[in-house]
Amino acid sequence: MKISKKLVNTISSIFFILFISSCSASEPQVNSPQEVFGPDTDYFLGLQLLNDEKENQARQKFQSCMKNGTYFCAKKSAEYLTTMGSLQEKIKACQNLIDMFPDEESYLIAAKQFYDAKEYNKVIEITNNLDLSESDNELLKIRMEAMEKTGSKHYKSEVFKWFISRKISDYHYTFYRDTYSAELPESEKEYSLHQFLITYRIDLYKKDYSLCLEKAQTLFELFDKAHTEPYPLLISDIGKAYLYGSNNYLKNGNLFTELAQEYSNFDSAFYFWFYAGRFYSKLDDHYSQTINCFETAIQNAKNDSQKDDALWYLLQVKINQSYTDTIKNISTYASQWSDPEYFDDLFDTMIPSLMVNGNWKYFGTLLDQIDGYASNETTAKIAYIYGRLLQEGYIKKGKDTDIEIERAFTRALNCGINPYYKILAAYRLGYSDDEMARILCVYADNKDIPVNKSAENLLLGYKYFGYPEKIYPEWQKLYKLGVSTEVSMELAQFLHDCGEWDHDYYPLSIRISARSANITTKFLEKEELKLIYPRFYSDLVTKYASEYEVDENLIYALIRSESFFDEDVESTAGAVGLTQLMQLTGNDIAAKLKVKDFSLLDAETNIRFGTYYISELITRCDGSVLQALFSYNAGITRVRRWLSSSMVEFGKKKNMPGDLFLETLPYSETREYGRKLVSASLYYEWLYFDETKSEEKRSFKDIVESFIY
């Protein structure tokens, strides 16, 4: 159900009255919006007048706020003024905008207006100082189009620099398609050098690898004759053409090695060495050459991103050759990388291999090697698994075993923001319910940033004056600039309440609350955590959880993890609705429930079918909720095969611990799916126990063990 503007304004008025009444008795009484928002009030009044089609009065309010308001409300007022009045008034307002608020967002708004008004020289004038290799691509596209319209003498050289100095974007492509291609000669043989190079990059962007492979020889001749330099990103494109357009890896590796040596004094040397390593890595008997290429690429890296790229592939090759030997010396490489999270997937792939191949003893070495270098999430994961393997007796440490177990679980507990390992580590350390509750309330480990009152004023004004549709997009832009957790949670609560009339606000409320919780050290209250783990569609969840005998907290966790309570969402694989069911699965369920006509986009149908399906999977998995969740994600046949294989390796005939089984799964997506569902289910049970129909409260120990065993 969509919320009407009138209804939103009514709700907002109620919130505003409540806000006023909540002021401390010791503070001066607040009697009007002006006393809360000061000069910024004029911006919100201007929006209301604009909605009522009173443009002249709205302009007056915007002008007043632009002159007297705080930064962000004044800037928004200036932006609205660029859309109002005569053409000359709009142009003047655009100039005021960039004079008062000279950032790329303002320049983009002004450039669009100037371009639409055919003020092409004005577009060029205001964008003269842009960096063609760094500035906003949409803004640069408008500049290029304006330069083409005016016949600027710098047009061709700037277009070339824009195309050659950065990754090709959709804006490059649309400019090429709609403007630049019209200038090209009919025959490619007649292309100028710059036209040829630009077209090559576009062909690669379109993934026409065969064509780019054919053209590469011409490029090499141009380099050889010094007609053009081997621009770094052009060499990267050529590397991709050879990598995906040819399987003659030895020949390609030798070619790029020769070119790397020939152009060793150019910035592009990195890419020649990097792709030479990529080609040799495809061959079984060129390990030394592969390593040498990547190590030389690292030496030639011009920035941290290039260095991390080459390090990642170097480590992948070493892990594939012998991950046990690599583990012993991985700190040598870890100490060189810049972005620890970039390497998380390497460890995520390594861990199941160590688990299923019985190389459990290496987890201790791995933890010692990467602690202080890897991301907190990876460190927590490895520490927890190491502690569990010690606990289960798969790793022997003699009389120091208990000390080592406690050290591992304590390390896992104090790392990162992933609640899964923190919860399980606390459980393994024997934390009481009260201690566990504190763990759940400290959601992150980041430092709070200083509050920006101007940003908060804008966002809170949208709430109090009834503009919920403006909150999330503006919050996305501003929250890192200094929006407090308290204000973010207040906004999330408002969208949560608006969701009762327009369900589109449900996922936005969760996104704001969850993201703000992830960037604060604040001890979160239960009511704030309930915004992160809400119980939307409660009547339907309660109804069908009861009918199909499933814990309703599990269903809430399932819906939250699958769709963020977005009833219209559809995955790239075709899964639909709140519980993300495939149409074929829906058809099977409908047949079993004897439902003839149905739509998976209908919230009630989707919740009913999803609840029935997970209930059926729990039964088929002999009551194991965790295995049922894995099956929901990856299919029950796969899960049974994985479980059988893992039990053989771990010497288990039955009762494979769920937390260890999870770490053996070959699909990263399914592993993370299980972690999210376990964590969310525990949060739901803890947060809503007093509201859930249950005979007795379960301890955290009981809840955790219901998943693991």
Side-chain angles (χ1 to χ4, degrees):
M1 175 181 175
K2 298 296 181 183
I3 189 169
S4 70
K5 183 65 184 173
K6 183 176 180 181
L7 184 55
V8 172
N9 283 330
T10 301
I11 296 168
S12 300
S13 298
I14 295 171
F15 275 119
F16 188 78
I17 292 168
L18 292 174
F19 170 75
I20 300 301
S21 65
S22 69
C23 294
S24 170
S26 62
E27 297 174 350
Q29 178 142 7
V30 179
N31 296 315
S32 68
Q34 283 83 358
E35 291 183 280
V36 179
F37 296 101
D40 290 345
T41 304
D42 284 334
Y43 167 63
F44 303 106
L45 295 177
L47 290 179
Q48 292 178 344
L49 290 165
L50 200 58
N51 288 339
D52 294 336
E53 300 181 355
K54 297 177 181 179
E55 184 172 305
N56 288 334
Q57 292 171 268
R59 287 178 65 193
Q60 292 174 6
K61 294 296 183 183
F62 290 143
Q63 287 168 347
S64 174
C65 183
M66 182 180 68
K67 294 176 182 177
N68 304 309
T70 62
Y71 183 86
F72 288 106
C73 285
K75 184 170 184 282
K76 297 302 293 184
S77 295
E79 290 174 5
Y80 270 100
L81 287 168
T82 66
T83 67
M84 305 169 71
S86 66
L87 178 59
Q88 291 305 313
E89 287 172 321
K90 291 177 182 177
I91 290 174
K92 182 180 178 181
C94 286
Q95 189 63 54
N96 285 337
L97 174 66
I98 58 178
D99 287 344
M100 295 179 68
F101 309 100
D103 57 28
E104 287 201 350
E105 185 178 35
S106 295
Y107 280 111
L108 180 59
I109 291 170
K112 287 179 177 178
Q113 287 281 20
F114 288 144
Y115 190 89
D116 290 343
K118 299 183 179 180
E119 295 281 346
Y120 305 126
N121 285 321
K122 196 66 177 174
V123 173
I124 296 170
E125 178 188 333
I126 69 170
T127 57
N128 268 333
N129 295 323
L130 296 179
D131 184 339
L132 294 172
S133 63
E134 296 289 341
S135 296
D136 179 79
N137 275 316
E138 184 180 7
L139 181 55
L140 289 173
K141 175 178 176 286
I142 296 172
R143 174 178 172 81
M144 300 307 158
E145 290 170 343
M147 295 180 80
E148 189 273 336
K149 292 287 187 184
T150 61
S152 169
K153 64 180 181 179
H154 301 296
Y155 167 65
K156 291 182 179 180
S157 61
E158 287 206 13
V159 167
F160 178 70
K161 185 175 180 181
W162 182 42
F163 270 80
I164 209 69
S165 64
R166 63 196 300 172
K167 180 181 178 182
I168 299 297
S169 67
D170 287 343
Y171 292 109
H172 288 86
Y173 175 69
T174 54
F175 173 78
Y176 178 90
R177 182 194 63 199
D178 300 337
T179 303
Y180 191 79
S181 61
E183 308 164 17
L184 297 174
E186 291 185 10
S187 171
E188 192 169 293
K189 293 180 180 179
E190 301 174 39
Y191 284 9
S192 69
L193 175 60
H194 284 183
Q195 288 172 336
F196 182 77
L197 298 181
I198 287 172
T199 301
Y200 187 89
R201 296 214 67 200
I202 289 294
D203 289 338
L204 195 284
Y205 174 79
K206 294 190 293 184
K207 299 183 179 180
D208 195 340
Y209 300 123
S210 297
L211 177 60
C212 288
L213 192 62
E214 292 176 14
K215 290 182 176 183
Q217 190 57 47
T218 302
L219 288 171
F220 292 143
E221 292 172 5
L222 291 170
F223 301 152
D224 187 50
K225 295 176 182 178
H227 290 311
T228 184
E229 66 178 275
Y231 296 100
L233 293 181
L234 184 62
I235 302 308
S236 178
D237 286 351
I238 296 172
K240 291 184 180 75
Y242 274 84
L243 188 64
Y244 302 119
S246 167
N247 58 8
N248 196 335
Y249 302 121
L250 178 58
K251 180 180 178 182
N252 297 341
N254 291 338
L255 171 64
F256 273 67
T257 299
E258 292 173 7
L259 291 168
Q261 294 166 343
E262 182 177 350
Y263 297 103
S264 60
N265 294 325
F266 287 82
D267 288 349
S268 53
F270 167 81
Y271 285 111
F272 283 122
W273 285 115
F274 177 75
Y275 280 100
R278 296 286 303 276
F279 299 133
Y280 287 134
S281 71
K282 301 287 185 180
L283 305 169
D284 294 332
D285 53 352
H286 285 70
Y287 175 76
S288 296
Q289 285 170 284
T290 303
I291 297 302
N292 178 65
C293 287
F294 285 132
E295 287 180 341
T296 311
I298 291 168
Q299 295 168 12
N300 282 272
K302 299 302 178 183
N303 53 56
D304 290 341
S305 178
Q306 288 183 351
K307 189 175 183 180
D308 282 355
D309 275 345
L311 267 171
W312 191 96
Y313 280 98
L314 173 66
L315 281 171
Q316 185 186 56
V317 170
K318 284 185 166 290
I319 289 168
N320 289 340
Q321 178 75 6
S322 173
Y323 54 74
T324 54
D325 289 340
T326 304
I327 286 170
K328 297 174 185 176
N329 302 293
I330 202 167
S331 62
T332 303
Y333 305 99
S335 62
Q336 300 179 55
W337 63 45
S338 301
D339 180 7
E341 292 182 3
Y342 186 74
F343 297 84
D344 282 351
D345 59 340
L346 282 180
F347 293 106
D348 200 43
T349 302
M350 184 193 301
I351 288 169
S353 296
L354 288 170
M355 293 289 282
V356 299
N357 288 305
N359 289 307
W360 307 310
K361 65 181 180 180
Y362 291 101
F363 275 95
T365 304
L366 183 58
L367 178 60
D368 290 338
Q369 285 282 311
I370 59 93
D371 198 2
Y373 297 118
S375 71
N376 282 331
E377 306 310 318
T378 288
T379 304
K381 184 187 305 182
I382 292 170
Y384 178 77
I385 297 169
Y386 175 52
R388 285 289 290 123
L389 292 170
L390 284 166
Q391 200 172 49
E392 292 286 329
Y394 293 108
I395 302 174
K396 307 295 185 183
K397 295 290 287 188
K399 63 180 181 180
D400 295 329
T401 297
D402 289 343
I403 296 173
E404 192 72 357
I405 290 172
E406 183 174 359
R407 180 182 80 89
F409 289 145
T410 301
R411 192 72 187 93
L413 180 66
N414 295 323
C415 275
I417 62 174
N418 189 324
Y420 176 78
Y421 291 106
K422 295 178 78 165
I423 291 169
L424 292 190
Y427 159 72
R428 295 295 176 188
L429 289 167
Y431 274 36
S432 67
D433 281 9
D434 288 341
E435 290 172 319
M436 186 72 85
R438 181 165 183 82
I439 295 297
L440 296 176
C441 288
V442 179
Y443 206 76
D445 58 359
N446 298 284
K447 292 183 178 179
D448 289 319
I449 56 178
V451 169
N452 187 317
K453 287 296 183 182
S454 176
E456 292 190 339
N457 239 28
L458 176 65
L459 294 167
L460 288 172
Y462 285 141
K463 170 192 169 181
Y464 293 119
F465 287 91
Y467 293 94
E469 73 281 0
K470 294 181 180 293
I471 289 175
Y472 182 69
E474 207 66 52
W475 183 86
Q476 280 186 299
K477 292 189 291 185
L478 298 178
Y479 77 96
K480 289 183 179 179
L481 297 180
V483 179
S484 67
T485 305
E486 290 82 1
V487 167
S488 290
M489 291 298 180
E490 187 175 344
L491 297 170
Q493 181 66 61
F494 177 61
L495 295 182
H496 176 288
D497 296 337
C498 289
E500 293 298 313
W501 293 275
D502 184 344
H503 294 170
D504 288 347
Y505 290 114
Y506 283 160
L508 302 184
S509 171
I510 302 173
R511 288 190 178 98
I512 289 178
S513 57
R515 198 173 302 172
S516 63
N518 282 339
I519 58 171
T520 183
T521 55
K522 181 180 181 291
F523 186 89
L524 298 176
E525 303 295 334
K526 270 194 172 185
E527 292 306 311
E528 292 173 320
L529 287 167
K530 285 181 179 180
L531 292 171
I532 303 172
Y533 297 95
R535 298 205 305 176
F536 301 131
Y537 306 96
S538 57
D539 54 340
L540 298 177
V541 171
T542 298
K543 175 182 177 181
Y544 291 112
S546 175
E547 183 173 342
Y548 300 121
E549 299 181 339
V550 181
D551 182 356
E552 65 182 72
N553 294 309
L554 178 64
I555 303 304
Y556 285 122
L558 178 73
I559 295 173
R560 184 189 184 280
S561 299
E562 288 284 359
S563 67
F564 250 39
F565 291 91
D566 185 347
E567 62 190 57
D568 299 320
V569 70
E570 182 173 352
S571 74
T572 54
V576 174
L578 293 167
T579 63
Q580 287 290 278
L581 292 170
M582 300 294 288
Q583 190 61 48
L584 285 175
T585 304
N587 293 340
D588 290 341
I589 296 170
K592 293 175 181 177
L593 296 177
K594 299 181 180 179
V595 175
K596 292 184 178 180
D597 298 319
F598 69 94
S599 169
L600 291 177
L601 289 175
D602 173 69
E604 179 165 6
T605 300
N606 197 286
I607 290 173
R608 181 189 181 190
F609 282 22
T611 305
Y612 173 84
Y613 186 43
I614 194 67
S615 172
E616 183 184 52
L617 287 172
I618 291 171
T619 300
R620 294 172 65 187
C621 292
D622 299 323
S624 171
V625 174
L626 191 59
Q627 289 178 37
L629 293 174
F630 294 150
S631 301
Y632 195 98
N633 179 262
I636 193 168
T637 301
R638 282 198 189 101
V639 173
R640 284 173 171 168
R641 184 171 66 247
W642 296 338
L643 180 61
S644 177
S645 175
S646 297
M647 288 175 68
V648 168
E649 187 58 47
F650 277 79
K652 295 281 186 181
K653 294 183 179 180
K654 60 180 181 178
N655 298 330
M656 173 75 177
D659 56 343
L660 291 181
F661 175 46
L662 181 148
E663 305 298 346
T664 70
L665 300 181
Y667 288 2
S668 175
E669 177 191 337
T670 306
R671 295 194 297 274
E672 187 57 27
Y673 183 83
R675 296 178 192 120
K676 287 180 179 178
L677 266 294
V678 170
S679 304
S681 295
L682 190 145
Y683 266 104
Y684 272 109
E685 182 145 0
W686 173 61
L687 288 170
Y688 296 100
F689 167 73
D690 294 336
E691 303 170 35
T692 303
K693 295 179 181 178
S694 176
E695 293 183 1
E696 59 181 26
K697 180 179 180 180
R698 293 198 296 171
S699 67
F700 278 108
K701 179 175 181 293
D702 292 335
I703 300 169
V704 172
E705 290 179 352
S706 69
F707 285 99
I708 295 176
Y709 300 112

